[in-house]
Amino acid sequence: MPAEPRLHPVPKDSPAAPVPKDMSRQPAPSHVPKDSRQPAPSPVPKDMSRQPAPSHVPKDMSRQPAPSPVPKDSPAAPAPAPLSPRRFAALLAAIALPLLLVLAWSLQGDPEAPANARRLAAASAPEASSDPAPTTIIRPQAPAVAVSVTVDPPRRLARLAQLSLGALDSDGRLVPTRLAPALGRRISVVNVWATYCAPCMRELPRLLDLLAARPWGADLRLVPVLLEAPDRHNEPQQAALRTLRAAPASKQQLVDLTPAGALQTLLHEAGLLPERATLPLTLVLDCEQRVRWLHRGELTDTAALGAVLDDLRAELPRCSEPSPEPVLADGCGDAYCDPDRAEDCATCPPDCACPENRECVALAGRRARCNFRSQGLKD
């Protein structure tokens, strides 16, 4: 007997589906396999079956396509491939090139600037002077109070005779020399002067009158030292030099181009002059070229100077004067004491002068040497 087909239960509140007429006449299946049984439909919840269908859908929402679902087992998007060195260099060049162009444009300035603006900027800028910056010239000044100093005991300055100075020849040209040839073995009055120094120009005629008033002869020599450059267009300077050339006691006119004065600097370092730059300056040396008296500032009382010269004149007999001037060795005066040219402290004092604490001692048939004062000539 054929088995009857099972009927699935139908919920009470679901409407009965109409049965077509032709299905009632169809014969029942003769055999239904066990594995072909369909599971019973799941019951529909009451609250879902009773919800009414939405009346309308907004226009903007109805037009948007629903997002497509992403399957869980779909593969992830592949990572971007790394840049090759060539592509990286090209990218870097593409970024750097505009920056370099902007920088070059900014350095060139604005080529479209108005010409008037450029002219105004050039006019407002300070003009660069082609002349060199003026150099500060140190000019010695006269002290506030003139002072005379008697140096006792006498001071022998080793570098005094070696001072490098200039001498004016008969044509007015400046030639290099030293102080030693101008001193000799007699009383020396060294006077430092300059035309820009008013006290110097007032003092110089007084010195010439003092020397002309007495018959000094060869016992005294005036050594004027001009502390400025010779200038043919400086009429006061040329007039003073002509007067000095005509004076019997002035044999040579020296020039010192050291800004503060070479003689003043030496006396300041020796402690005989408090101020390095002092003008005018009068220095008296004895026949042994030792400092005996000095006056800084304008010399107004020439009587005091005359008394000092009289005292030193009385000491001349103990000196080697009035003997002729020593004959200097060949090449003497080049600031180098050369024994191969027979130069020593006696034959070339400018180059081979003895230190301050020594003296030059010479005996017959032997070369002069610099010994301590209490030693004499020793081997």
Side-chain angles (χ1 to χ4, degrees):
M1 183 176 181
E4 295 180 0
R6 293 183 179 180
L7 299 178
H8 298 282
V10 179
K12 297 180 180 181
D13 51 356
S14 61
V19 180
K21 293 180 180 182
D22 51 357
M23 285 184 66
S24 59
R25 295 179 180 177
Q26 292 180 359
S30 59
H31 175 71
V32 179
K34 293 181 180 181
D35 54 354
S36 63
R37 298 175 183 176
Q38 296 181 359
S42 59
V44 181
K46 296 181 179 181
D47 51 356
M48 292 184 62
S49 60
R50 294 179 180 177
Q51 291 181 358
S55 59
H56 73 282
V57 179
K59 295 180 179 181
D60 54 347
M61 292 183 63
S62 61
R63 295 178 181 177
Q64 293 180 359
S68 58
V70 179
K72 295 181 180 181
D73 54 353
S74 61
L83 293 176
S84 61
R86 182 175 299 178
R87 293 185 60 188
F88 178 76
L91 180 61
L92 186 61
I95 297 174
L97 182 60
L99 297 178
L100 294 176
L101 293 177
V102 172
L103 179 61
W105 178 82
S106 62
L107 293 177
Q108 291 180 358
D110 189 5
E112 299 180 359
N116 293 334
R118 290 196 296 268
R119 284 196 295 268
L120 289 176
S124 61
E127 296 183 359
S129 177
S130 58
D131 299 334
T135 56
T136 303
I137 300 177
I138 302 176
R139 285 186 171 181
Q141 301 296 328
V145 179
V147 179
S148 297
V149 178
T150 300
V151 182
D152 189 19
R155 294 284 303 274
R156 185 187 302 274
L157 304 179
R159 293 186 298 163
L160 181 62
Q162 302 178 10
L163 289 180
S164 297
L165 302 173
L168 293 174
D169 59 7
S170 57
D171 297 331
R173 294 175 299 182
L174 191 63
V175 294
T177 186
R178 295 181 182 271
L179 184 59
L183 298 178
R185 299 284 294 178
R186 56 176 59 89
I187 303 170
S188 302
V189 179
V190 183
N191 181 256
V192 186
W193 65 286
T195 56
Y196 61 81
C197 171
C200 301
M201 302 303 291
R202 295 191 299 263
E203 177 188 74
L204 196 58
R206 300 191 191 107
L207 288 176
L208 294 177
D209 293 342
L210 174 64
L211 299 182
R214 302 185 184 185
W216 297 102
D219 295 340
L220 186 142
R221 178 177 291 185
L222 176 63
V223 184
V225 180
L226 177 61
L227 194 62
E228 62 180 347
D231 186 4
R232 296 180 180 273
H233 303 285
N234 189 342
E235 184 56 33
Q237 181 189 103
Q238 296 300 317
L241 290 175
R242 287 193 295 267
T243 304
L244 289 172
R245 292 191 190 99
S250 178
K251 301 298 183 180
Q252 196 174 23
Q253 290 76 43
L254 302 180
V255 178
D256 185 4
L257 299 180
T258 306
L263 183 59
Q264 289 94 319
T265 302
L266 178 62
L267 294 176
H268 176 74
E269 293 175 353
L272 298 176
L273 200 63
E275 298 89 5
R276 182 183 297 270
T278 301
L279 202 67
L281 177 66
T282 304
L283 189 68
V284 178
L285 306 176
D286 60 10
C287 59
E288 297 181 5
Q289 299 182 0
R290 297 179 301 176
V291 180
R292 302 292 295 269
W293 187 85
L294 66 87
H295 182 87
R296 58 179 187 270
E298 183 180 357
L299 181 63
T300 58
D301 184 12
T302 57
L305 175 59
V308 172
L309 297 179
D310 289 336
D311 294 340
L312 295 180
R313 194 176 190 181
E315 299 178 3
L316 287 178
R318 66 181 179 84
C319 297
S320 58
E321 280 288 326
S323 61
E325 296 289 339
V327 179
L328 301 181
D330 294 337
C332 181
D334 59 355
Y336 175 67
C337 185
D338 190 359
D340 296 337
R341 296 183 301 193
E343 293 182 358
D344 53 33
C345 59
T347 60
C348 186
D351 298 340
C352 308
C354 297
E356 185 174 356
N357 60 343
R358 299 192 180 192
E359 60 182 353
C360 184
V361 179
L363 296 178
R366 304 179 67 177
R367 175 175 293 183
R369 297 173 58 179
C370 294
N371 288 349
F372 291 100
R373 300 182 183 280
S374 60
Q375 287 182 345
L377 188 62
K378 295 183 178 180
D379 292 334

